[in-house]
Structure formats: structure tokens, C-alpha cells
Amino acid sequence: FLSFFSLGSFRTNRAHCETFSNHTSGHHQIELTIMGKKAGNEKKGAKVFKTKCSQCHTVEEGGAHKQGPNLYGFFGRQSGQADGYSYSTANKKSGITWGDDTLFEYLENPKKYIKGTKMVFAGIKKPAERKDLIAYLKSTCAP
């Protein structure tokens, strides 16, 4: 993951990906912005998952469904499609394909995003926590 480097300031734009540097405490910090949003921190996201999600979800390939479905391989997949899990009709019929933007909005307030979902989680209000969780899920749940 990108962290602190002693580099001169630079700016690069390539297909929705922008890298830039900021001067921080005598060092230049490189931050990665994807689709106009600063990417999340996987390590912080792992903590968010452990405290807010792991009671109901697993992320390992072949992991068990709990109160919620196993999340392995869900990025890029349509909502309500994990084999062996009983989704709400609202979730199955939502037509949502999980990606950074849809997950970012969903995690803020799942019941508002998919009216009729059986997910009882109230949501994550802090945008940085949602970005961190998404970064963790993308790295952990990818096939």
C-alpha cells in the first residue's frame, strides 16, 4: 500500500485514477484517489469488519453463511446471488451489482438502500470507515 515517501510533488491523471502528493510533517504523502474518492485503508477496514460485520458475515472462500451471507466473491456480482443463502425478495429483486459506489451507499443505511432487506444492521455513518471497510472487503473477498 502507498505510504510516506520523500518525493517531489507531482500529479498524474489516468483513466479515473489520480495520484498526488501533499506536504505532511516534512514528508510528502502520496494518496491514491479512485473515481474521485480517496481509497480506504485495508488494515483499518479489517478492524471495522471485525467489530461491525463478523458477527453476521464470513469472508473466506467456502466460508459458512451466518445470519448474513458469506461475502467471498460478491464484488461485481448482483445482489442476492450467493448460493445456499436465503435472501429477502427485496434483495434478490434489487438489481444492484456490488461495486465501490453501490457498496459505499448501501453501507451507510442498508434498510434505506434496499427497502425490505432483512439485514438488521443500522449502517456506518462515517464515510472514512465505509471506505476502509470496502478496501478490506475488496482485498479479502476477491476470487
Side-chain angles (χ1 to χ4, degrees):
F1 196 74
L2 297 175
S3 59
F4 290 98
F5 292 88
S6 292
L7 299 172
S9 293
F10 65 95
R11 187 176 205 78
T12 304
N13 288 306
R14 274 192 205 123
H16 305 292
C17 182
E18 180 179 330
T19 306
F20 60 94
S21 65
N22 290 333
H23 191 269
T24 308
S25 303
H27 293 51
H28 290 279
Q29 181 178 5
I30 297 175
E31 296 176 348
L32 180 63
T33 304
I34 301 170
M35 304 286 282
K37 297 177 184 162
K38 184 180 172 192
N41 179 306
E42 272 181 55
K43 191 172 182 179
K44 288 180 181 178
K47 289 178 183 177
V48 173
F49 183 84
K50 185 176 181 180
T51 59
K52 298 185 178 190
C53 311
S54 66
Q55 300 89 330
C56 297
H57 295 279
T58 58
V59 293
E60 307 81 25
E61 183 174 11
H65 296 307
K66 293 182 173 181
Q67 184 173 350
N70 171 274
L71 299 176
Y72 185 83
F74 82 101
F75 266 91
R77 185 171 70 199
Q78 192 169 7
S79 178
Q81 302 299 311
D83 288 337
Y85 184 76
S86 178
Y87 288 93
S88 65
T89 301
N91 197 305
K92 289 189 277 189
K93 292 185 175 184
S94 70
I96 295 165
T97 298
W98 295 120
D100 290 62
D101 292 338
T102 52
L103 194 55
F104 184 80
E105 291 181 40
Y106 175 76
L107 289 170
E108 182 177 17
N109 188 339
K111 289 182 181 186
K112 183 178 177 185
Y113 195 74
I114 300 179
K115 291 187 184 350
T117 185
K118 64 181 186 179
M119 184 163 164
V120 296
F121 183 62
I124 300 172
K125 304 307 176 210
K126 295 179 181 177
E129 280 190 10
R130 294 197 310 270
K131 289 177 188 180
D132 293 341
L133 178 58
I134 291 167
Y136 169 74
L137 292 172
K138 283 177 78 172
S139 70
T140 306
C141 298

